[in-house]
Amino acid sequence: MSERVKKDLRSMGIDDMTALLKELGQPAFRAKQLFGWVHEKQVQHIDDMHNLGKGLLAQLNEQCEITAMQLERKQVSKDGTEKFLFQLADGNYIECVLMRYRGDMSKQRNTLCISSQVGCAMGCTFCATGQGGFVRNLTAGEIVSQVYAVNHQLIEEGDTLPVGNVVLMGMGEPMLNLDNVLKAVALLNDPQGQQISIRRMTVSTCGVVPQMKAFADKKLDMVLAVSLHAPNDALRSGVMPVNNRYPLHELMDACRYYQKQTRNRITFEYALIAGFNDQPEHVAQLKALLKGLDCHLNIIPVNPVANTAQFSRPDRKQVAAFVKALQNAGLNASVREEKGTDIDGACGQLRGKVTGKQ
Ligand code: SAH
Ligand code: SF4
């Protein structure tokens, strides 16, 4: 059997594995064992699954594989944030960023920001991933493998805390790869796997309305983050082409629908760009736009990206003043704690450096 048609075990849930083992003429109880090796122990090689028996291992080796990802580069920020560049089996690169929160024992956590696609078709002008265009969707196995690969790194470094929070804010638009994203979320949440609580997973979208509604209908307790970045259609369409297709009133309808379905608070991401979206009238526009929604605004000083000299990053004082104005207007707003800016923390930047593509 050729390499290409081998099935990736990391893309499989318990039902897929049960069906596979039936096909192979193996007893059903093997499915649980196989699932545990793949998704709990996160083995990297089929031969590492010691208790499956030689016959089954041979069958698995013939028909299946485990997503291979090579760590191509790792950068460590002064604040401890680590950025990983992985090469996929087909040569493409993806990134993820590990943020370690320390302090009180109860608050310690390792949060991993992962990618959902190679590249992105949405073309936001301030975004390094957007500048490089779309290559392909990641499989569910490639999505969970980012968590598993970083867990292996953590063990090597002697960090006893595995990844416990996942944010889909790396490369790509998760709503345009929704089936694989939801499959990966279910695998990461599985009690026989990593057991990452659904509430500790965040999906971020630029506002692809039909898929947001489909996502709302799943009624998942995931955190939904919406990349807003501008308070009116004229500004938003200027930097986010998706806004031409799904303007703000449609986006806000989708947000209200999501809230009706899930009752979850929505997070709005707002990259603050000096002189562009940080004026007093923008505070008033945001207040009107978000009226009636249970939401939080994350204000992020825009990250400088190559070829985006027009986006100037506001200084600390300007950011604080804007947040204060939002709060005075009655909105929930805070500055998102920034991590890893010295290591190209913004999405898509590291891949751009390696492939020469921004
Ligand atoms: N495609 C999804 C998720 C990946 S992008 C989305 O757009 O929401 C993750 C977040 O990084 C988004 O909020 C995106 O707008 C933001 N982002 C991209 N480039 C940025 C930059 N240069 N500065 C600040 N935030 C940026
Ligand atoms: Fe794609 Fe998100 Fe970047 Fe826009 S901000 S180009 S949607 S990854």
Side-chain angles (χ1 to χ4, degrees), residues 10 21 30 34 37 46 48 56 64 68 80 107 131 133-134 202 223 253 255 266 342:
R10 284 189 177 169
L21 290 164
R30 293 283 191 208
L34 180 59
W37 283 113
I46 288 171
D48 294 343
L56 175 54
C64 303
K107 290 201 183 122
Q131 289 177 14
F134 175 70
T202 299
V223 181
D253 277 352
C255 290
I266 296 175
D342 56 327

Side-chain angles (χ1 to χ4, degrees), residues 115-130:
S115 297
S116 57
Q117 300 180 315
V118 180
C120 182
M122 305 314 283
C124 304
T125 53
F126 48 79
C127 171
T129 308

Side-chain angles (χ1 to χ4, degrees), residues 24 27 41 98 154 164 197 205 239 266 330 349:
L24 298 177
K41 300 195 181 72
L98 174 70
L154 288 168
S197 155
T205 180
V239 290
I266 296 175
Q349 287 182 313

Side-chain angles (χ1 to χ4, degrees), residues 191-208:
Q192 311 293 330
Q194 292 304 301
Q195 305 184 34
I196 302 176
S197 155
I198 294 271
R199 286 194 182 81
R200 293 181 184 273
M201 294 194 249
T202 299
V203 63
S204 174
T205 180
C206 66
V208 190

Side-chain angles (χ1 to χ4, degrees), residues 65-82:
E65 62 185 2
I66 293 177
T67 309
M69 278 192 349
Q70 296 302 324
L71 180 61
E72 177 77 19
R73 198 178 281 197
K74 182 168 106 175
Q75 287 185 311
V76 184
S77 158
K78 278 181 253 148
D79 62 22
T81 302
E82 286 171 53

Side-chain angles (χ1 to χ4, degrees), residues 113-114 116-117 120 122 124 126-129 168-174 203-207 225-229 240 269-272 300-305 308 311 313 336 338 346-347 349:
C113 176
I114 61 175
S116 57
Q117 300 180 315
C120 182
M122 305 314 283
C124 304
F126 48 79
C127 171
T129 308
L168 280 144
M169 279 196 186
M171 294 165 56
E173 171 48 51
V203 63
S204 174
T205 180
C206 66
V226 176
S227 298
L228 188 59
H229 302 321
M240 299 180 74
E269 306 287 319
Y270 195 91
L272 204 63
I300 315 133
V302 71
N303 265 308
V305 166
T308 60
F311 300 123
R313 189 182 163 89
R336 187 164 82 192
E338 265 204 290
C347 84
Q349 287 182 313

